Each structure stands twice: as C-alpha cells, then as structure tokens.
Amino acid sequence: MGILVEAIGAHGPRGEKNVKDKLGRRIDYLRISVTDRCNLRCLYCMPAEGVAYKSHGDILSYEEIVRFAHAGAQLGIRRIRLTGGEPLVRAGLLELVRGLKAIPGIGELSLTSNGILLAPLAGRLKAAGLDRVNISLDTLDSQKYAQISRRDSLPAAWAGIRAALEVGLEPVKINTVALRGINEDELPALAALTLKHPLHVRFIEVMPLGDDLDWARQHLLPLNEVKDLIGTVGELAPARVAGSGPAHVYRFAGGLGTVGFIAALSHNFCHLCNRLRLTADGKLKPCLASDVEVDVKGALRAGADMGEIQALYRKAVALKPSRHKLQQYREQGRNMNQIGG
Ligand code: SAM
Ligand code: SF4
C-alpha cells in the first residue's frame, strides 16, 4: 500500500477544511461502496437473482478510491466507512484499508458488513487500520435469517460478530432493519444482547429503494413502535456511543452495550446529514435517496488533479437536497446494494 500513498503524494491536509453546504451542514464523512456484489440477497436490499456482472473496468480501483479520498481529506473529510454490497467479497480489501488509513487527516475508518466473511479477517483488518465495524443482523433465528437474507448463514455472521469483539474493533454495532410481520417478535431479544455483550444494536426503518416499494411500505415498522416493543426488556435511559450520528441512543440499566434508533422515515434527520457517498461504479451521491449523482470515475481516469477532484466534491456538496422524499415512496434508480446504506 506504500505504493498507493506514493502515487498520491504524502501531503498533509491543506487549509481548505470543513466544506459546508448551503444549509451550513459540515460534510466530513465519506461512505465508500467497494462493490455492489454480495453473498446474501436480503429482501429489502438486493434482487433475488443478484446483480449483473461488472468488469474491473466498471468499478473504481483501490488506487482510484484512495486518490479520491485523499482529495476529500484535504477538504475536511475525517471519517470513512467502507460498505457495499458486501465489502468483504472484494479481494484485497486489507490493501484499501491500509491505503485509506495512511491518508493525512482521516481519523476514523469503519466498515459495514454482514459479518459472514469477517471471522478470519477481523484481526488483520484491525492491524491494517480499521477502527470499528457495523454488522447487519436482523434475527437470531436461523430459519428467519435464511428467509430474510435468502441464504442460510447465521452461524458465520455470529462468528464474525464474536471475532470483531475479540480483536478489539470498538465499538461493534449491530444494524437491525425492523420489519413488520417478519422480525418484530425478535426485536426485544436483539435489544437484550446489549445486556450481556458490549454490542450496540441500532434499529433501522426499512427504506423504499429498489423495485418493490410496496413491500417496503407494508413492512415499515416505525421506530416508536420498536421502542415500545423493546421496553419490555427493561427501562431505557439516554446514553452515548462513539459515532452515533443520527441515532437516538439508550442503555438498559446495567447493560454493557446500547440500543439506538435510526428513524429515517418517521423522524427525518436530514438537517444533521454530514456525508457523501461514493458508489462502486464511481458516482458521488449527494443524498442516498436521490438519483442526482456526480461522475467521478470519468474525471479520475482522465487524469484529474487534486483541485479538479475537489471541484467534484464541492459540486456534490452544493447538490445536497435539504431533505429526502422517501415518504413519497417514489421509484429510484438504485437498490441499496448499489448505494451502500
Ligand atoms: N452488506 C453489508 C451489510 O449488510 O451490512 C453492507 C451493505 S448494506 C447495503 C448496509 C446497510 O444497509 C445494512 O445494515 C442493511 O441492513 C441496510 N439496508 C439495506 N437495504 C435497506 C433498506 N431498504 N432500508 C434500510 N436499510 C437497508
Ligand atoms: Fe448484502 Fe448487505 Fe444488502 Fe444484505 S443488506 S443483500 S448483506 S448488501
């Protein structure tokens, strides 16, 4: 990875920090999707048949991603999250972790994963510079796991969670999409994991992306209902956890971890939005819930210099909408696996 750092130069952050948008939102967080491929097919995310094959030329190389992140760090990007698709299905991810962590100004590097391939890699990811991880888990029941993800992989996901704790990735968060009629009966048990383990379970409302918007509408479980459901486990007191972003966070008395709620639909938090998203195919998205995109791949491949790349960041920041329109259940071009969450 020394190679990548040399290729982009080892400059420190250069002055122009803290890019803000027209609403004064400071954009310091970049989510990078490294692939739209995945070893699961979650009902709310991915078509059952998977995604069309993309050649290496279609997706950004690790060198291109690092160059792009380096330009962002000079504009005030301080935190990066790797996501997908499933980021661990892309070969050589350790190389990317090392390259991103070596960028001056990048303080925190995190990963969102389904955890299935994590157990054998967790120690090396940590050694390469990964700080923390979010692992997706919607159920503790094998059959239900297979129903939701269309794959029978719960033991591997659990092994990934255990390994993340063992190697000291900190905090380990669990992303749980709350689904009416599918996993609502299990939400108390998932929340109760935080009593005995230092896990931070975050409940997420299902967002209408992809082909079947009616499915998302039917299964939306507003998080105030989730909060009532898990109130059966114990009394919740307000708490804090690193990098909680828009989540409302609580702790059960005596609990080792926390419980958080991310209610993108029922409690809009766009005024707190601090992020841009880079898709695997090289588009910069000002908003997860909009088809507006800025092409980055073309510029990178045409040899854009740091200033030209930064102009693309500024363009995307200027295009950030004041708030999303997910409540309108309108069709969009990408499924979540093509955005990154
Ligand atoms: N494969 C990795 C994983 O599952 O953690 C990373 C990519 S996945 C797209 C990132 C997050 O988005 C996951 O926590 C997943 O549960 C969430 N997600 C996917 N589709 C969603 C949807 N329609 N609504 C809400 N969250 C969704
Ligand atoms: Fe794959 Fe993550 Fe989407 Fe599930 S949520 S299909 S694990 S990308």
Side-chain angles (χ1 to χ4, degrees), residues 251-321:
R251 190 187 293 276
F252 294 119
L256 298 180
T258 63
V259 179
F261 301 92
I262 304 181
L265 278 103
S266 62
H267 286 93
N268 184 290
F269 46 74
C270 294
H271 61 289
L272 298 173
C273 187
N274 62 349
R275 63 202 58 182
L276 295 174
R277 291 176 169 83
L278 180 64
T279 66
D281 58 357
K283 306 281 192 257
L284 193 56
K285 287 184 77 70
C287 173
L288 170 152
S290 158
D291 284 334
V292 173
E293 296 176 347
V294 175
D295 179 52
V296 163
K297 189 173 69 178
L300 287 169
R301 293 190 181 168
D305 63 21
M306 283 282 147
E308 288 163 333
I309 300 171
Q310 286 170 356
L312 300 175
Y313 273 95
R314 293 183 194 286
K315 185 173 174 188
V317 168
L319 286 167
K320 278 184 78 64

Side-chain angles (χ1 to χ4, degrees), residues 38 40-42 44-46 84-86 114 337:
C38 189
L40 297 183
R41 299 282 183 274
C42 299
Y44 43 71
C45 179
M46 185 102 167
E86 173 49 40
N114 59 32
N337 68 295

Side-chain angles (χ1 to χ4, degrees), residues 44-45 83-86 112-114 136 175 177 205-207 336 340:
Y44 43 71
C45 179
T83 179
E86 173 49 40
T112 304
S113 167
N114 59 32
S136 299
N175 286 0
V177 181
E205 286 178 343
V206 63
M207 291 182 249
M336 193 65 111

Side-chain angles (χ1 to χ4, degrees), residues 19 21 31-32 50 53 91 100 147 150 163-164 176 200 211 299-300 302:
V19 171
D21 75 354
R31 288 196 175 185
I32 299 174
Y53 176 78
L100 292 172
Q147 177 196 349
R150 302 188 180 105
T176 300
H200 303 276
D211 307 328
L300 287 169

